Amino acid sequence: MSQNKLSLEVLESWLWDSANILRGSIDSSDFKNYIFGLLFLKRANDVFLEEVELLMKEEGISREEAEEDTYFNLPPEAQWEYLKTKTENIGIDLDKAFAAIERENTQLEGVMTATKFGDKEMLSDDVLQRLLRHFNQHSLRNADLVSNDLLGDAYEYLIKKFADDAGKKGGEFYTPRGVVQLIVQLIKPQPKHTIYDPTCGSGGMLIEAARYVAAQPNGKVGNNINVSLFGQEKNLSTWAIGKLNMILHNFTDADIRKGDTLVTPKHFDSNKELLTYDRVIANPPFSMGQWWTPLETNLEVKIDKNGKEKKITPNYSKKVTDPYGRLQYGIPPRGYADLAFLQHMLSVLKADGKMGVVLPHGTLFRGSAEAKIRKALLEADLVEGIVGLPSALFYNTGIPASIWVLNKKKPKTLAQKVLIIDASGDYKEGKNQNSIEKEHITKIVTTYDAATDVEKYMRVVPLEEIAENDYNLNISRYIDTSEPEPEINLTEVQKQLTKLKEEEAIIDTQLDNFLKELGV
């Protein structure tokens, strides 16, 4: 290995320094959109030139012929040598470059142009020139990297750093890696599986699931991981980042669609039925309100007694009608989309499929419509396990969450039973956030897989007991983590009190003698 090759440590530091160039110009939560675009442009340029030169050498053809034969088409106006010479209207030229890349590479349609560089109010020519100079420091050719996985690893590092920097907004596109690894290991995707994330953000859950598959026997076919990835994301810029993330991790065939999963799911089979998958995994937005947009966009209005217009709150239980029949266990309330996401995931799960989803603790015990849905899911014996997580794990909320594991083909040993784990104490404390480390994941997964009671930690709870609790899944109802009060020996306490009284009498006598000596 050449000493000149770019290491992960150097790459991470170099890329993070690019964020400092943007500070003061744009909001930190938007850094990722601009930096990932430029990173992809530089990487695409360098690999394109590398491929062109290889074709020229191996096939003895001209540069023009080689440029037409490359896997990825990079038009002249998008090439780095052209762009780095620009001194004014740089943002406009970058926007043209990204549009040209999309035109020549249809798989990137809408991805590169999701971020606009041409607004001089936000990004001056000076800032963009500094950024281009900064990105010009290193070659991103395959031959100049210590490994082909380097860009993907650096990308993940940046996503985490940007989530840290963006604070609460970071939760919109990033789930802490420990949580992701835990869910993946609970649902255990296998080679040849199809895996789907309906709220995929920047794609971290899908990539982690693929990594897990790669480590299994027959998990790889040549250099490719033996798995098919599918996802949908509502936020345009996050969807674009997810698409780039897949490409930089060499998942060029990953099918990541844009849109609102609850209202307009995008993945269908040839019969126009929703596609189904072997594994479904997600971290949907916690307790999202007003989630059925067809009812929210044209709210009915009535005139009150004072002649003022008043919008009528739609009755979801009567008005929500899903054309895909996903909400068969009940209509969730307007204020909480959690069990709508869960039911969508369940509806696209194959007959022997398994899913894992992170939901707020409230889904375990909230009443009314959610209580009815929870009861129906439990009576259908679809809930395999509940894992209560520590608090302060996520960027956008400090509240504790739980992982629901649902299985359409539960093992016979777990029929009419639910595994419940209280993992609230399994974490490493952090300054702003707690984290789940490797040893915590191993403990939780090993205990879950063993499916044997562990005092104050896990129980295999029969469905009859849950029914007696009105189908409330609040973990504290099933696992008592309180410490027993120490037993009090009354005889011993009485002896100690008697002894203290005797000592007090001696002290009083001594004090009286001292006072007499002083003439008081």
Side-chain angles (χ1 to χ4, degrees), residues 297-316:
T297 45
N298 295 300
L299 289 177
E300 290 182 51
V301 175
K302 71 174 183 180
I303 308 298
D304 66 16
K305 59 184 179 183
N306 297 318
K308 291 185 178 180
E309 286 189 352
K310 185 181 178 182
K311 290 180 179 177
I312 300 172
T313 302
N315 184 332
Y316 270 43

Side-chain angles (χ1 to χ4, degrees), residues 428-476:
K428 178 184 176 184
E429 195 166 348
K431 184 180 176 184
N432 298 317
Q433 278 177 277
N434 297 327
S435 61
I436 298 178
E437 302 296 306
K438 188 176 180 180
E439 62 268 25
H440 305 127
I441 296 169
T442 301
K443 176 186 173 186
I444 296 166
V445 174
T446 303
T447 308
Y448 187 98
D449 291 347
T452 306
D453 287 5
V454 177
E455 191 177 0
K456 297 187 180 298
Y457 190 68
M458 187 185 103
R459 279 192 61 210
V460 184
V461 183
L463 203 56
E464 305 92 77
E465 184 179 340
I466 295 172
E468 287 168 10
N469 280 316
D470 291 327
Y471 298 93
N472 185 319
L473 286 173
N474 201 349
I475 292 169
S476 60

Side-chain angles (χ1 to χ4, degrees), residues 58-330:
E58 290 184 347
E59 299 183 18
I61 57 178
S62 68
R63 177 171 288 276
E64 290 74 18
E65 289 172 314
E67 286 184 356
E68 288 179 5
D69 281 355
T70 55
Y71 170 75
F72 184 87
N73 297 318
L74 195 70
E77 63 266 45
Q79 293 183 20
W80 198 260
E81 283 301 312
Y82 169 76
L83 290 167
K84 74 178 187 181
T85 62
K86 296 293 175 181
T87 56
E88 56 184 32
N89 296 324
I90 298 171
I92 293 169
D93 280 316
L94 283 169
D95 287 341
K96 288 178 181 175
F98 289 129
I101 289 173
E102 286 188 13
R103 186 183 67 237
E104 298 295 328
N105 303 273
T106 53
Q107 75 272 26
L108 288 173
E109 188 178 346
V111 175
M112 308 307 301
T113 52
T115 300
K116 303 299 179 191
F117 284 78
D119 184 351
K120 285 193 177 183
E121 294 295 316
M122 290 182 68
L123 288 172
S124 66
D125 282 326
D126 177 59
V127 168
L128 285 173
Q129 204 168 21
R130 285 176 61 204
L131 265 181
L132 289 176
R133 279 201 300 266
H134 183 79
F135 271 92
N136 202 46
Q137 288 176 21
H138 295 286
S139 164
L140 295 178
R141 294 179 180 222
N142 287 322
D144 295 325
L145 306 178
V146 294
S147 82
N148 287 349
D149 295 331
L150 200 67
L151 260 291
D153 292 341
Y155 200 83
E156 278 182 47
Y157 162 83
L158 275 183
I159 290 173
K160 163 100 173 62
K161 289 284 282 184
F162 287 136
D164 287 340
D165 213 50
K168 284 193 172 185
K169 287 185 179 178
E172 295 173 10
F173 59 89
Y174 180 78
T175 302
R177 193 165 185 185
V179 177
V180 178
Q181 290 174 332
L182 174 57
I183 303 176
V184 168
Q185 290 183 39
L186 287 170
I187 65 171
K188 297 178 174 48
Q190 298 299 307
K192 296 186 179 179
H193 270 180
T194 51
I195 306 172
Y196 169 66
D197 182 344
T199 58
C200 66
S202 51
M205 284 192 160
L206 292 172
I207 288 167
E208 192 60 49
R211 272 205 192 100
Y212 182 90
V213 171
Q216 309 306 312
N218 304 314
K220 281 191 154 188
V221 179
N223 290 324
N224 297 319
I225 299 175
N226 194 5
V227 74
S228 299
L229 304 179
F230 301 81
Q232 187 166 336
E233 171 55 41
K234 185 177 179 179
N235 181 286
L236 173 64
S237 62
T238 305
W239 165 78
I241 288 169
K243 290 275 283 186
L244 293 181
N245 199 7
M246 291 297 156
I247 292 167
L248 290 172
H249 278 90
N250 301 315
F251 294 113
T252 51
D253 294 333
D255 187 350
I256 311 298
R257 307 283 180 93
K258 182 172 76 259
D260 182 339
T261 302
L262 292 180
V263 178
T264 53
K266 297 288 186 179
H267 295 87
F268 297 91
D269 62 20
S270 56
N271 297 318
K272 297 187 178 177
E273 300 283 338
L274 286 174
L275 267 180
T276 56
Y277 312 90
D278 298 293
R279 294 290 184 270
V280 182
I281 186 169
N283 174 20
F286 284 3
S287 300
M288 186 175 80
Q290 302 175 29
W291 49 272
W292 195 253
T293 49
L295 285 182
E296 302 293 343
T297 45
N298 295 300
L299 289 177
E300 290 182 51
V301 175
K302 71 174 183 180
I303 308 298
D304 66 16
K305 59 184 179 183
N306 297 318
K308 291 185 178 180
E309 286 189 352
K310 185 181 178 182
K311 290 180 179 177
I312 300 172
T313 302
N315 184 332
Y316 270 43
S317 63
K318 291 182 179 178
K319 295 282 182 81
V320 172
T321 53
D322 175 37
Y324 308 107
R326 293 167 295 172
L327 304 175
Q328 58 179 297
Y329 296 98

